[in-house]
Amino acid sequence: MTEDNKNHGKSHGRDYGIQTTSGLGVEGRKRYAMVIDLRKCTGCGSCVVACKSEHDVPLGVWRMWLKTEDKGTYPDVKRTFLPRLCNHCEYPICVRNCPTQATFKHEDGFVLQRFNRCIGCRTCVIACPYNARHLLPNHRTDEKQPVGVVDKCDYCIHRVKRGLVPTCVSTCVGGAFTFGDLNDPKSEVSKLVKKNSVMTLKPEIGTHPQTYYIGLDEGIADQVASYRHRSAQMKEEYNTFKKNHEGFHGDLTEGGSHIVVQVVRNFLGFLKEIPAKAGRVLGLGG
Amino acid sequence: MEREVIANAFHHVTWGVPISIYFWLMGVSAGAHVISGFGWVFGLKKYKQVGLIATLWAIGVLLIVPVLLIFDLGRPERFFHLLTPGYWHGSAPMSWGTILIMLYPTMMIVYGYFIFKNNAKWAFIFGICGIISAGSTHWYTGVVIQLNPARDINHTALASVLFLLGAFISGTGFLIVTFWFMNIFVNPMRRFRDRFRQEGFAYRFLKANSIGDKVEDSLVVEMGQIMAIGVGIELLMTFNEFLQMNYGTAEEQASLFDVLLGVARVPYMAHVFIALVIPFFILIFTPLKRSPGVVTICSAMVCTGILGMRVWWVLGGQFLQTFF
Ligand code: SF4
Ligand code: SF4
């Protein structure tokens, strides 16, 4: 598989961003990857909770989350789950498009974020095909935590560097998550990828994700199906969430209020933030 | 088979209205600057009288841009990171854009100075540089959102050209509306101008900006015709985009039917009908095209409709994915 991956990488011939070189299949280099066996996922959400507490993830944004879909007609109904996180892509568009090199590809495969460089322009959020990024809000309960910058899953590099697995992996009750070095043929991830038919999300975009799924259902992985087949409750929740969420005044909602009202609300929200931000530019805090 | 997504994270539309307005203003500025160049670069005498005021508007409009861009950042106090060596990232479109956004006003200011001094040679040279930088700056605004394969609405090679054309027509429209205002107040403005000594700076500045002089109706009508040609080309390209999405991938179809004709239909329709179809029809096919008043109304429609385009382009492009 390592060899296959290497060739796959070569056939793409893409190197995105000046810091990114692919280490897949390169001897002596590590290539951390995650394999999620969806057949074992019970949808308990432990991974999401563990991630939230490990990284103090604010309300309204997610480093990892659980997408859930029901399919079939009663009584033949099946519920499928899809834990979602950053794919630590081999060719990450987020890295290529970041104007300050705040996000970069670590030589061991992690796609990481440097908070001290990030200006919060959200170009990377726009660029990521997987919604893996979010802007941290301006107000945090713990004042030492970063604000106004973009954050994302980092495969818990702080744990991995100490010989531990990411927190979602260690918390998973079903044992669905496996983490390891894809360049090491003896690693569990290498074996899993070799033995099973694995899928990645949106392979057609050419990002070559390093989060692999076993037993991925076509519907839950499909962007258009996800959009069209939202439950009524989800639509409602989405609207409520958007209207109430601090920091993104007046995101588009559906059916909630007219788009013109939302556009005006969005702009007014932006204007309201200017004095506080101007204070920060002038070094007055705020 | 029936399926229903019952739980997911709620993702944001992360670039909002300030970015749409930035795209719009940038376009208005670039378009106005090109019109200014008609007189001083391409030698069309009639346009010389409005050269300076067009450039001043282009600069004035541009003054709002840094406010929008800097305060839209999560960390506005760090905007200088965009230009800091060691941080600057050559593969990111926004990095090129930052340089262009700084270069363009500089060129315009120098150009404006030479027009004011009536120095045809240097006005010509800096006019060309200005037009090139205006074009590239607005081309970049299209590119910065075009180069995202994840955004089905925006990921089209037509994007930057659509942006350039939109800039040209909205800039022209904006100037025509300005001229209408100037003509309404021509008498009080002349009285104001004539209070100053003729050899003084204030008088010369006002005169050079045609303040107190009537802008010719024939000029307005001619500009309307030029705008109509731009509107026609933009209409064709927008139709092409429509076809492409209609015959396209599942994502493209959903972008068209669920987003552009669905949740974002108001700005989309504003673009198609208010900016393109109606003005094009009036300015090409009806005798009303010779009426300065009608041309002005059409210009206002084009300007507003192009704002609609910037809104659907930015917001709509992100919408489909917020549920993935
Ligand atoms: S999933 Fe998104 S954020 Fe993560 S590396 Fe890929 S493009 Fe970047
Ligand atoms: S938000 Fe931060 S990490 Fe993302 S592109 Fe902008 S500077 Fe880079």
Side-chain angles (χ1 to χ4, degrees):
Chain A
M1 177 61 206
T2 310
E3 198 52 36
D4 288 353
N5 258 329
K6 190 172 159 188
N7 293 337
H8 185 49
K10 274 198 177 144
S11 68
H12 265 301
R14 309 167 94 150
D15 264 345
Y16 289 161
I18 49 180
Q19 320 101 322
T20 317
T21 51
S22 175
L24 254 190
V26 177
E27 235 172 273
R29 295 260 302 265
K30 285 195 188 308
R31 218 51 181 174
Y32 284 112
M34 177 104 71
V35 177
I36 305 177
D37 189 342
L38 297 171
R39 296 167 304 184
K40 294 183 181 171
C41 175
T42 60
C44 69
S46 314
C47 49
V48 182
V49 176
C51 177
K52 276 265 182 193
S53 70
E54 177 84 23
H55 297 282
D56 205 355
V57 184
L59 285 176
V61 287
W62 293 265
R63 275 181 168 224
M64 90 167 291
W65 69 97
L66 196 64
K67 189 171 169 186
T68 311
E69 189 196 52
D70 285 348
K71 64 173 187 176
T73 326
Y74 180 82
D76 296 320
V77 187
K78 173 136 178 73
R79 178 162 289 183
T80 44
F81 304 103
L82 181 67
R84 290 283 312 276
L85 62 159
C86 170
N87 291 293
H88 294 266
C89 306
E90 269 303 281
Y91 306 104
I93 311 175
C94 57
V95 169
R96 176 178 47 166
N97 282 16
C98 171
T100 61
Q101 302 183 30
T103 182
F104 70 104
K105 182 97 178 147
H106 186 279
E107 56 177 7
D108 292 343
F110 307 89
V111 173
L112 300 174
Q113 204 46 25
R114 292 185 269 204
F115 294 137
N116 58 339
R117 283 179 174 239
C118 179
I119 56 174
C121 65
R122 283 111 66 217
T123 306
C124 53
V125 184
I126 294 279
C128 171
Y130 307 99
N131 289 325
R133 296 174 159 263
H134 56 263
L135 183 71
L136 291 169
N138 282 327
H139 304 289
R140 307 282 302 263
T141 320
D142 178 357
E143 285 174 2
K144 286 196 209 88
Q145 297 282 11
V147 293
V149 289
V150 163
D151 199 6
K152 65 182 271 300
C153 155
D154 58 2
Y155 270 172
C156 286
I157 186 171
H158 61 295
R159 289 171 58 97
V160 176
K161 289 290 158 188
R162 288 171 177 78
L164 302 168
V165 288
T167 193
C168 52
V169 180
S170 64
T171 326
C172 178
V173 290
F177 287 76
T178 311
F179 182 80
D181 178 11
L182 215 48
N183 278 356
D184 172 8
K186 289 197 211 76
S187 72
E188 223 179 311
V189 272
S190 292
K191 287 181 193 157
L192 277 175
V193 167
K194 203 171 181 177
K195 271 201 213 129
N196 296 281
S197 104
V198 288
M199 276 285 286
T200 55
L201 294 173
K202 291 192 182 177
E204 72 280 4
I205 300 250
T207 45
H208 204 189
Q210 293 306 297
T211 300
Y212 296 87
Y213 293 95
I214 300 174
L216 181 62
D217 186 75
E218 173 246 344
I220 201 166
D222 181 4
Q223 177 173 321
V224 176
S226 307
Y227 179 79
R228 293 211 169 130
H229 305 297
R230 276 166 296 146
S231 65
Q233 188 190 348
M234 257 200 73
K235 280 186 194 165
E236 187 51 44
E237 280 174 5
Y238 175 79
N239 285 347
T240 320
F241 165 75
K242 296 281 156 150
K243 275 185 241 153
N244 295 334
H245 197 264
E246 186 222 359
F248 286 85
H249 306 276
D251 259 357
L252 283 188
T253 55
E254 268 178 298
S257 47
H258 199 279
I259 187 167
V260 178
V261 177
Q262 297 176 43
V263 163
V264 173
R265 201 192 305 138
N266 186 295
F267 194 63
L268 291 179
F270 162 76
L271 293 179
K272 223 163 69 190
E273 277 176 10
I274 289 184
K277 284 186 170 174
R280 290 227 299 262
V281 174
L282 299 171
L284 305 173
Chain B
M1 191 200 313
E2 267 186 39
R3 45 172 93 247
E4 197 170 58
V5 177
I6 58 161
N8 199 2
F10 299 125
H11 303 286
H12 295 281
V13 170
T14 190
W15 278 1
V17 178
I19 299 294
S20 315
I21 296 184
Y22 148 66
F23 284 164
W24 181 67
L25 286 177
M26 200 69 221
V28 166
S29 167
H33 185 67
V34 170
I35 291 290
S36 156
F38 275 18
W40 293 86
V41 175
F42 302 120
L44 302 172
K45 278 220 175 65
K46 216 189 270 180
Y47 289 84
K48 275 199 169 174
Q49 65 155 322
V50 294
L52 187 55
I53 192 146
T55 289
L56 283 184
W57 266 121
I59 297 172
V61 165
L62 219 56
L63 290 178
I64 311 169
V65 164
V67 178
L68 291 172
L69 288 186
I70 291 176
F71 291 117
D72 191 58
L73 296 178
R75 298 299 292 261
E77 73 279 17
R78 292 183 182 170
F79 70 91
F80 62 90
H81 285 192
L82 286 164
L83 292 158
T84 310
Y87 284 44
W88 196 82
H89 193 187
S91 69
M94 192 174 278
S95 301
W96 329 327
T98 315
I99 293 177
L100 288 170
I101 287 176
M102 301 199 18
L103 190 72
Y104 167 48
T106 316
M107 290 294 169
M108 280 197 308
I109 290 169
V110 180
Y111 165 71
Y113 171 77
F114 285 118
I115 300 185
F116 180 61
K117 286 279 169 197
N118 216 349
N119 185 330
K121 182 179 152 207
W122 285 102
F124 173 77
I125 292 170
F126 278 94
I128 289 187
C129 299
I131 289 175
I132 293 173
S133 59
S136 353
T137 312
H138 202 66
W139 164 82
Y140 141 78
T141 59
V143 161
V144 76
I145 200 158
Q146 165 192 333
L147 297 185
N148 290 301
R151 308 285 161 186
D152 300 288
I153 290 180
N154 312 125
H155 188 55
T156 153
L158 281 188
S160 42
V161 193
L162 266 170
F163 262 66
L164 274 177
L165 267 175
F168 177 66
I169 59 178
S170 57
T172 313
F174 179 77
L175 279 182
I176 293 177
V177 176
T178 310
F179 297 159
W180 177 71
F181 271 109
M182 284 167 63
N183 281 351
I184 290 184
F185 297 109
V186 71
N187 286 332
M189 285 191 334
R190 182 174 305 140
R191 280 200 295 278
F192 174 72
R193 184 185 76 191
D194 290 346
R195 278 206 217 133
F196 298 99
R197 277 184 305 117
Q198 288 214 356
E199 58 283 5
F201 173 81
Y203 182 89
R204 281 193 298 130
F205 182 78
L206 294 171
K207 180 83 183 150
N209 274 301
S210 305
I211 305 288
D213 291 332
K214 187 171 184 307
V215 178
E216 296 299 325
D217 284 352
S218 63
L219 179 70
V220 170
V221 170
E222 193 177 306
M223 279 171 69
Q225 287 300 292
I226 294 173
M227 182 176 76
I229 296 170
V231 168
I233 304 174
E234 170 126 349
L235 184 58
L236 176 66
M237 292 199 338
T238 308
F239 177 65
N240 243 13
E241 274 294 303
F242 174 86
L243 275 186
Q244 161 88 7
M245 285 195 255
N246 198 6
Y247 281 69
T249 60
E251 282 85 1
E252 284 171 339
Q253 282 200 345
S255 301
L256 177 63
F257 292 108
D258 294 31
V259 179
L260 296 186
L261 300 175
V263 65
R265 68 182 168 280
V266 174
Y268 187 61
M269 290 300 155
H271 175 221
V272 172
F273 290 102
I274 300 183
L276 305 179
V277 174
I278 301 173
F280 182 72
F281 180 78
I282 295 176
L283 293 177
I284 297 288
F285 297 113
T286 69
L288 293 170
K289 65 186 174 193
R290 279 183 284 278
S291 150
V294 173
V295 172
T296 307
I297 293 170
C298 289
S299 305
M301 287 167 71
V302 170
C303 254
T304 325
I306 292 295
L307 177 60
M309 185 262 179
R310 299 329 190 206
V311 169
W312 73 252
W313 187 263
V314 177
L315 302 187
Q318 300 165 65
F319 198 54
L320 189 63
Q321 218 202 33
T322 50
F323 296 93
F324 172 60

